[in-house]
Amino acid sequence: MAEFMTETEQRSPGVPRPGTAGEPRPGTAGEVRPGTAGEPREKAGDTGPLDGQEAAVLLERTRALVDPELRAAVESLPGSMRRVALYHFGWEHADGTPAAGNAGKAIRPALVLAAAAALGGPAARVAAVRAAAAVEVIHNFTLLHDDVMDRDTSRRHRPTAWTVFGDADAILAGDALQALALRLLAEDPHPAAVPAAARLADCVVELCAGQHADTELEQRAPDAVTLDEVLAMAESKTGALLGCACAMGALYAGAGQEEVAALNGFGRQAGLAFQLIDDVIGIWGNPQHTGKPAGADLAARKKSLPVVAALGSGTPEAAELAALYGKPYLEEEAEAGEIARTALVVERAGGRDWAQAEAADRMALAVQELSRAVPDPEAAGGLLALAEFVTRRHS
């Protein structure tokens, strides 16, 4: 786990914070912004990162810089795997015709470039473009494989690659993307490319360990999973790559070990906040925005962070939730409002409020880590704007 411990890690595993289940916890000192993590702040006159404008500019700039490198790399794949990858990135339809699809928000490559700029200025940002593309390729390798393992049928508002091309083609395309990412760094003449490649390889191993832990936890009974276990798994699956992205940007800026470690810690904590909010959206998100059916995580009986917090709350609703999760979800139950009922039970047991408060805590820790490496708030602004963006989502 990360260096700093929150109240979550200090209390008994699986027990949400004290307080009335289902009621929001007061804000934690040191939160990045006022308000509840995962919800938009509405205040007249807000400007800058709070309304997402700075993050939007950074993400747009990242796409402009990274997409040509990314597209060229994908185009270099053999035809059978290239067509799967081009479809997955949203650049082609299943029949191979061009598509103006959504290749994702580019959060991870934006973190690489923002970290490089924070410590080395514009020149370092430009030098880190290939590294940023490598991180985005790794991210998409994990998505291809995760969709197969989780049997997810929709991503970015279109059918997942395995549902179109089959399991084998989706897995092999993911394997090819992993090798492609390391080749991007191996061919990069920048002196930071070698340590960056080693760090990215270590990150892939951690990602795989996190995915293994995730699948193992899903096999257990609902009351046999602790909150600390799920937090550790989430750090490996989500926090590790965001931390790696920030650390790679620092390497390309010529930063020292302490600065690289601090930016890694920043990304990991922001990644945990990201996952907490993503889990909230997985239960209560709007399908028109998420591209996934409402309550898909509940239907799959996923032991997401809000669910595990609710299961360990000691409330009457926790027992009810354990009973619901103890039996498989049946499609015919959808008409009876089974998913809506389960979501309400999680909320009444305090799972939603806990996750939002924990996300705010994690962001506070992320800011602490960032200040160690980039004490100048202006220089750190891009990284803070991106962290704010990923933890203020509400769809």
Side-chain angles (χ1 to χ4, degrees):
M1 293 294 288
E3 178 181 349
F4 291 92
M5 293 182 67
T6 66
E7 184 182 26
T8 305
E9 294 163 319
Q10 292 168 359
R11 65 178 178 273
S12 300
V15 181
R17 290 182 175 80
T20 304
E23 293 184 359
R25 194 173 65 115
T28 303
E31 287 182 12
V32 183
R33 309 289 184 201
T36 304
E39 296 179 354
R41 196 173 72 123
E42 298 179 0
K43 181 178 177 182
D46 276 352
T47 58
L50 288 178
D51 59 12
Q53 291 180 2
E54 184 174 345
V57 169
L58 288 170
L59 293 170
E60 184 178 354
R61 180 188 300 160
T62 296
R63 276 287 171 221
L65 287 170
V66 173
D67 271 5
E69 188 81 43
L70 188 61
R71 185 71 181 256
V74 172
E75 291 281 5
S76 73
L77 292 173
S80 58
M81 286 169 281
R82 182 173 65 243
R83 67 172 189 148
V84 179
L86 288 171
Y87 172 84
H88 170 76
F89 277 101
W91 295 327
E92 285 188 0
H93 296 295
D95 62 2
T97 57
N102 174 17
K105 295 183 178 67
I107 291 166
R108 290 154 189 83
L111 286 170
V112 175
L113 300 187
L119 289 168
R125 178 174 60 221
V126 173
V129 166
R130 182 169 289 191
V135 168
E136 184 71 344
V137 170
I138 287 295
H139 173 54
N140 282 277
F141 136 68
T142 68
L143 296 182
L144 280 164
H145 282 196
D146 283 1
D147 285 344
V148 173
M149 286 183 275
D150 296 342
R151 311 315 286 173
D152 285 337
T153 58
S154 177
R155 181 175 294 281
R156 297 168 182 163
H157 305 280
R158 67 199 314 221
T160 46
W162 72 268
T163 67
V164 175
F165 301 101
D167 289 0
D169 282 4
I171 291 169
L172 290 169
D175 292 341
L177 287 181
Q178 182 185 170
L180 190 60
L182 294 177
R183 192 183 78 190
L184 280 168
L185 293 173
E187 295 176 348
D188 189 353
H190 195 284
V194 172
R199 182 172 285 272
L200 189 59
D202 286 342
C203 179
V204 170
V205 173
E206 186 174 357
L207 290 169
C208 292
Q211 179 65 16
H212 180 271
D214 190 16
T215 55
E216 193 274 327
L217 291 173
E218 291 301 320
Q219 303 304 314
R220 294 196 209 166
D223 58 356
V225 176
T226 70
L227 198 52
D228 284 349
E229 286 180 306
V230 184
L231 282 166
M233 177 271 294
E235 181 174 352
S236 292
K237 279 194 65 175
T238 305
L241 188 54
L242 270 68
C244 181
C246 295
M248 285 172 64
L251 287 171
Y252 272 75
Q257 288 186 349
E258 290 188 5
E259 292 168 315
V260 172
L263 278 180
N264 178 62
F266 163 76
R268 282 178 176 270
Q269 293 296 340
L272 274 172
F274 176 98
Q275 187 60 57
L276 283 152
I277 297 308
D278 200 59
D279 284 355
V280 169
I281 292 171
I283 298 174
W284 295 281
N286 183 339
Q288 292 183 340
H289 296 156
T290 65
K292 294 185 177 183
D297 287 357
L298 297 178
R301 299 303 194 232
K302 286 187 69 67
K303 297 180 181 72
S304 62
L305 285 157
V307 167
V308 176
L311 286 167
S313 65
T315 62
E317 289 82 5
E320 183 180 358
L321 180 60
L324 288 167
Y325 255 57
K327 59 186 180 70
Y329 172 74
L330 303 175
E331 288 292 338
E332 54 265 29
E333 292 177 334
E335 296 181 4
E338 175 82 0
I339 291 299
R341 175 191 169 200
T342 306
L344 184 60
V345 171
V346 175
E347 187 160 12
R348 287 179 172 172
R352 184 175 189 172
D353 291 331
W354 174 86
Q356 291 176 326
E358 182 71 9
D361 286 354
R362 295 292 179 166
M363 273 305 304
L365 292 178
V367 172
Q368 289 180 21
E369 291 278 22
L370 181 58
S371 66
R372 291 172 49 205
V374 192
D376 178 7
E378 185 175 350
L383 288 166
L384 285 172
L386 291 168
E388 174 84 4
F389 174 79
V390 301
T391 57
R392 296 286 168 182
R393 296 170 302 148
H394 58 97
S395 50

